[in-house]
Amino acid sequence: MSERWYRSLEAGDSVSLSSEILGRLSQALVLGPDERMVLYSRALDGAGLALTDEQDAAEGQLALLHMVTAQTGFPAYLTDGCWNILGYNTLMSTWFPWVLEPGANLMRWALTEPGAREQMLDWRRHAEVYLAMLRFALATGGSRKASLDVLLQQVLEDPECRRLWAQGPKVVAFRQGHRYRLALPHVSPEQITVTSQVLLPAYQHGLRCVMLLPQKTVLPPCALIPEQQSGGPAE
């Protein structure tokens, strides 16, 4: 780079940051893929994704809601960029009744509600990832930053979350393919293991369709046949 470029950078002036320069910086700093996304988003001021107009966005969101509610084999839900619940299917509300509450927010529930710590086994490990996702969102939030700041303050009111947040600047973009072990006695007497699959809709910046795929079919207690309930033979 030229001497003039370095002077501008050190003075805090605007400098050109091509994809080649960003790639070299990422390599020099040994950045992981999520950290690279933060760097690119900050350097490009959140640009890079074309958004539809409001009418198309509304129609697209409605289509996503239909897709989520139509799923019958596994829990599914839709959130915005601040993890507010926008929609869910019947299984999601059966497994996690908190989604029915007004203003339901996945991040706030997972990190601050006592029920989440009982239902998500190995909660601390999950909380570390959730906080890393929140840190990533804050770094790339753009117009959502004010709402994310409020969410962060609510989360940091919890002492354990505050301690985990202070451990280090880890960032995670998405929790694709993450495995959860759940204790949901109102759904199954046994632990349930699910894998999260995250879909990012084109032209719907910030929305997330999430599906929780169980390792095996989960039947509610009322669905067991009489022989199984009484300990008799089963096919």
Side-chain angles (χ1 to χ4, degrees):
M1 309 304 296
S2 68
E3 181 181 343
R4 179 179 179 181
W5 188 93
Y6 278 109
R7 281 203 302 265
S8 298
L9 177 67
E10 293 173 353
D13 297 333
S14 177
V15 295
S16 61
L17 291 169
S18 66
S19 58
E20 179 186 359
I21 296 173
L22 293 173
R24 286 157 56 190
L25 283 171
S26 299
Q27 184 177 7
L29 296 172
V30 198
L31 300 183
D34 295 335
E35 295 165 325
R36 284 179 180 237
M37 290 177 67
V38 173
L39 174 64
Y40 276 66
S41 181
R42 294 295 291 270
L44 300 175
D45 196 23
L49 286 175
L51 303 180
T52 59
D53 58 35
E54 292 184 0
Q55 180 179 356
D56 287 342
E59 291 178 358
Q61 183 170 319
L62 184 59
L64 293 172
L65 288 172
H66 284 319
M67 183 186 74
V68 166
T69 57
Q71 305 303 321
T72 58
F74 44 80
Y77 61 93
L78 177 68
T79 72
D80 63 13
C82 297
W83 289 277
N84 296 307
I85 299 292
L86 302 180
Y88 48 83
N89 65 352
T90 300
L91 270 180
M92 184 66 187
S93 61
T94 300
W95 287 29
F96 303 102
W98 61 267
V99 300
L100 301 169
E101 300 173 2
N105 182 281
L106 173 68
M107 188 69 68
R108 186 168 54 243
W109 173 82
L111 291 174
T112 67
E113 290 296 328
R117 306 185 185 196
E118 297 173 359
Q119 294 176 8
M120 288 194 297
L121 304 180
D122 197 10
W123 173 85
R124 185 168 286 99
R125 180 172 63 89
H126 295 298
E128 290 175 351
V129 178
Y130 276 124
L131 288 169
M133 292 170 63
L134 182 53
R135 182 177 277 111
F136 177 90
L138 284 163
T140 60
S143 61
R144 300 189 302 271
K145 191 174 186 309
S147 298
L148 290 167
D149 283 336
V150 173
L151 178 59
L152 175 63
Q153 294 307 313
Q154 293 172 339
V155 167
L156 293 185
E157 289 177 3
D158 180 90
E160 182 64 12
C161 288
R162 194 161 57 246
R163 186 185 69 79
L164 293 174
W165 179 265
Q167 285 182 352
K170 180 180 179 181
V171 294
V172 172
F174 307 107
R175 208 173 193 187
Q176 174 72 343
H178 197 87
R179 180 173 293 184
Y180 299 81
R181 290 187 303 117
L182 302 171
L184 303 173
H186 61 288
V187 176
S188 170
E190 301 177 353
Q191 293 180 12
I192 302 172
T193 300
V194 299
T195 301
S196 65
Q197 295 296 329
V198 183
L199 306 180
L200 304 178
Y203 303 112
Q204 295 285 324
H205 186 41
L207 297 189
R208 306 177 186 90
C209 289
V210 182
M211 302 177 184
L212 303 178
L213 306 183
Q215 281 191 335
K216 60 182 179 179
T217 302
V218 179
L219 296 176
C222 61
L224 297 177
I225 61 175
E227 288 81 5
Q228 289 174 310
Q229 291 178 323
S230 61
E235 294 182 0

